[in-house]
Amino acid sequence: EPEVTQTPSHQVTQMGQEVILRCVPISNHLYFYWYRQILGQKVEFLVSFYNNEISEKSEIFDDQFSVERPDGSNFTLKIRSTKLEDSAMYFCASSYDRDNGYTFGSGTRLTVV
Amino acid sequence: GNSVTQMEGPVTLSEEAFLTINCTYTATGYPSLFWYVQYPGEGLQLLLKATKADDKGSNKGFEATYRKETTSFHLEKGSVQVSDSAVYFCALRYSGGGADGLTFGKGTHLIIQP
């Protein structure tokens, strides 16, 4: 069964550093998403991406965040200057259309120290 | 705004017991409703969905019915197995206005004992 692949599975970074979280969505999917889950809290929507542009973003997705689809297969989330409160599990997801559920990756655990 | 409320966990049951995990929602309009499951060390997997009132989603013995009158989407299974131990998330997506992000509940940790 096709999978969404995320790398790395765990990343530790120093406060103020830039991080890039990588995702390979399912190849024929058209919609791409990032979510995050702070430990013990809800899974929160960050951003959706379609047709090479952001289609929706939440209040969490401020100027420190950006997304890119640099080639035909990868979908990245960049955090420009990490803060302690950015520590969370980040999930990438993709879908073929907007009427069905998404396929999620296994997540990247980001720890900011 | 939209929100999803799930029963607090952990929920601990014996194998073959009947399972109910409550989920209620607040949303404008008519959202689509989902249950996702997260097994240890894995990502979120879609378990079932319902897109309109009175729809019943079902998969792997789990069922949930979209109840507009009570704004609920409770998850049920008649006889649980140890392999059902996981975290279950109720979620909604508002179908109008171009919004396509999911709103999740906090998740319910289910533990099934042999």
Side-chain angles (χ1 to χ4, degrees):
Chain A
E1 189 166 331
E3 291 184 342
V4 173
T5 306
Q6 290 186 245
T7 55
S9 56
H10 190 188
Q11 180 153 1
V12 181
T13 189
Q14 296 226 326
M15 193 168 55
Q17 294 296 304
E18 174 184 286
V19 294
I20 297 176
L21 308 183
R22 301 181 191 279
C23 170
V24 179
I26 293 173
S27 61
N28 67 337
H29 283 187
L30 303 175
Y31 296 82
F32 313 109
Y33 309 87
W34 283 101
Y35 287 78
R36 78 170 186 192
Q37 184 181 27
I38 295 171
L39 188 63
Q41 298 188 26
K42 294 184 182 186
V43 177
E44 301 171 294
F45 169 73
L46 294 179
V47 66
S48 60
F49 192 88
Y50 171 72
N51 201 26
N52 285 319
E53 61 182 19
I54 290 173
S55 53
E56 187 189 5
K57 59 183 181 179
S58 70
E59 291 175 354
I60 303 166
F61 195 88
D62 61 22
D63 292 344
Q64 292 297 312
F65 292 88
S66 62
V67 288
E68 198 176 31
R69 190 154 160 80
D71 52 41
S73 59
N74 290 283
F75 180 52
T76 61
L77 174 70
K78 182 193 291 186
I79 308 175
R80 237 179 296 284
S81 176
T82 50
K83 304 187 280 284
L84 293 176
E85 54 265 36
D86 293 327
S87 296
M89 180 75 88
Y90 288 81
F91 292 104
C92 174
S94 69
S95 67
Y96 179 75
D97 56 34
R98 292 172 57 189
D99 294 331
N100 293 292
Y102 318 148
T103 302
F104 281 84
S106 299
T108 293
R109 180 168 296 285
L110 176 65
T111 303
V112 182
V113 297
Chain B
N2 299 333
S3 68
V4 174
T5 302
Q6 290 181 238
M7 59 192 295
E8 297 282 331
V11 173
T12 304
L13 295 172
S14 297
E15 207 165 19
E16 299 183 5
F18 184 87
L19 168 72
T20 301
I21 300 178
N22 290 338
C23 170
T24 56
Y25 67 89
T26 303
T28 53
Y30 302 99
S32 296
L33 301 174
F34 304 85
W35 276 100
Y36 281 84
V37 58
Q38 186 178 30
Y39 298 103
E42 298 185 16
L44 296 162
Q45 299 176 24
L46 178 64
L47 181 60
L48 52 84
K49 66 171 183 172
T51 56
K52 60 183 189 297
D54 300 325
D55 267 3
K56 179 187 280 189
S58 61
N59 186 24
K60 299 181 182 179
F62 291 89
E63 291 183 343
T65 302
Y66 189 146
R67 300 281 187 207
K68 183 165 164 286
E69 63 277 12
T70 54
T71 61
S72 65
F73 193 54
H74 304 322
L75 183 69
E76 296 182 335
K77 186 175 185 183
S79 176
V80 292
Q81 306 301 313
V82 171
S83 57
D84 293 327
S85 299
V87 181
Y88 291 81
F89 294 90
C90 186
L92 69 82
R93 184 171 73 222
Y94 176 55
S95 301
D100 56 3
L102 289 169
T103 300
F104 282 89
K106 282 192 173 183
T108 302
H109 187 191
L110 176 66
I111 301 168
I112 306 300
Q113 296 176 332

